[in-house]
Amino acid sequence: MSSPPTSGSPEGGSPGSGLLTFGETMGLVAADGIGPLAYAKSFSFGIGGAESNVAMGVARLGGEATWLGRVGPDAAGALIASRVAAAGVRTLAITDESFTGLMVRHRRSGEFAQVDYHRAGSAGSRLSPADVPSAEITAASILHVTGITPALSESARAAVFQSIETARAAGVTVSVDLNYRAKLWSRFDAAPVLRDLASRADVVFASPAEAELFVGPGDVPAELAKLGPAEVIVKDGGDGCVALIEGERHTVPALAVTVVDPVGAGDAFVAGYLADRLAGASPAERLTTAITAGAFAVTVPGDCEGAPTRAELAALTGDDVRR
């Protein structure tokens, strides 16, 4: 059993416009400092989820965004609903009888982080097609989904593909971030599903490694574009991004910043691109905003805490002292 969705505050935007996204957001236990988990002396507790990260990023950049998902009847579920809404996102949190998923993250060294998931049978994995109203989809400007949700359960996968078909039939732009997670499913299982997602999308985001799960090496944007999306954006961390948008190629280098925490950079990048797309910006402007938002995110610890406002984006490339 589950409770009806609860909406965020009116400041989170109005139904029927902007971005609609859905998926699992979890509680996040993060070890402070760097080193083996066994030697961590303190921990912080927050939230993390690719889709809600993007929604929060869009909202902070002035766009309207709605996030929908299932959460448990627990403190972590309540925190997710309140924190996403507090970021200005219209929040449709369905209270499920199961628990809110949890992830535990630590920085084993300064070079990489490790994340362990505790989400099998979680509230978020119980998402189903009935949870995503057609009216919400058809009234949105952009439907954004990721390759994470189809890996959670059969019902969650069905929710993604049914929502995409509803959006396509209504002429709503479909955005997909492939977001392959090796701890959720194998490359063999993921490849055909991710390929199917890309072929149904108008906008596709991928890393080179994610794209090469199902396209050959070489010109990755061109290979992805052959599947049908008009906008292909290949995000490559410190190497910036390469995009093929309506047949025009764009290459944007990364910004030089001090990396504090790389987690969440990809979601901030996507949020920057989609926020500018909603605002009617040109492809070049969207990519510049995306690169800058991603760069800003890595300078702040946490999954979603680093998503910048427009003023903060401008500050990143200007004077580093705010007086």
Side-chain angles (χ1 to χ4, degrees), residues 6 10 14 33 67 129 138 146 162 171 233 235 297 310 314:
T6 56
S14 57
W67 172 81
T138 58
T146 76
Q162 180 172 299
I233 302 94
K235 42 186 175 140
R310 292 283 179 185

Side-chain angles (χ1 to χ4, degrees), residues 101-208:
L102 186 70
M103 54 180 164
V104 179
R105 189 175 76 223
H106 71 284
R107 297 283 299 278
R108 179 61 182 84
S109 75
E111 296 299 318
F112 67 91
Q114 180 172 329
V115 180
D116 297 318
Y117 298 114
H118 302 271
R119 68 198 310 178
S122 67
S125 71
R126 289 154 59 99
L127 191 77
S128 73
D131 292 332
V132 190
S134 295
E136 292 282 350
I137 299 169
T138 58
S141 296
I142 299 173
L143 171 70
H144 177 69
V145 296
T146 76
I148 298 171
T149 308
L152 300 179
S153 66
E154 290 298 327
S155 65
R157 185 178 305 181
V160 169
F161 281 96
Q162 180 172 299
S163 296
I164 288 175
E165 289 312 303
T166 300
R168 286 165 58 90
V172 174
T173 297
V174 175
S175 167
V176 172
D177 188 347
L178 295 185
N179 255 335
Y180 172 62
R181 295 291 184 267
K183 289 191 175 183
L184 294 179
W185 53 352
S186 70
R187 297 168 61 90
F188 178 81
D189 290 332
V193 178
L194 297 181
R195 180 185 177 90
D196 199 358
L197 282 177
S199 70
R200 297 167 189 256
D202 300 295
V203 183
V204 169
F205 300 91
S207 70

Side-chain angles (χ1 to χ4, degrees), residues 217-306:
D219 190 341
V220 174
E223 291 300 314
L224 283 173
K226 289 178 182 178
L227 298 177
E231 302 174 31
V232 173
I233 302 94
V234 178
K235 42 186 175 140
D236 199 11
D239 290 329
C241 70
V242 179
L244 197 59
I245 301 174
E246 301 291 352
E248 183 177 355
R249 185 174 293 270
H250 303 260
T251 301
V252 184
L255 294 179
V257 295
T258 301
V259 177
V260 174
D261 185 353
V263 177
D267 298 331
F269 178 102
V270 171
Y273 185 90
L274 295 180
D276 263 21
R277 198 182 191 282
L278 287 169
S282 69
E285 290 170 326
R286 298 174 213 164
L287 293 169
T288 298
T289 298
I291 283 286
T292 310
F296 196 98
V298 304
T299 66
V300 181
D303 266 41
C304 53
E305 289 82 352

Side-chain angles (χ1 to χ4, degrees), residues 21-42:
T21 189
F22 61 88
E24 181 174 35
T25 296
M26 296 173 287
L28 169 61
V29 178
D32 298 326
I34 298 175
L37 187 64
Y39 296 98
K41 294 181 173 60
S42 61

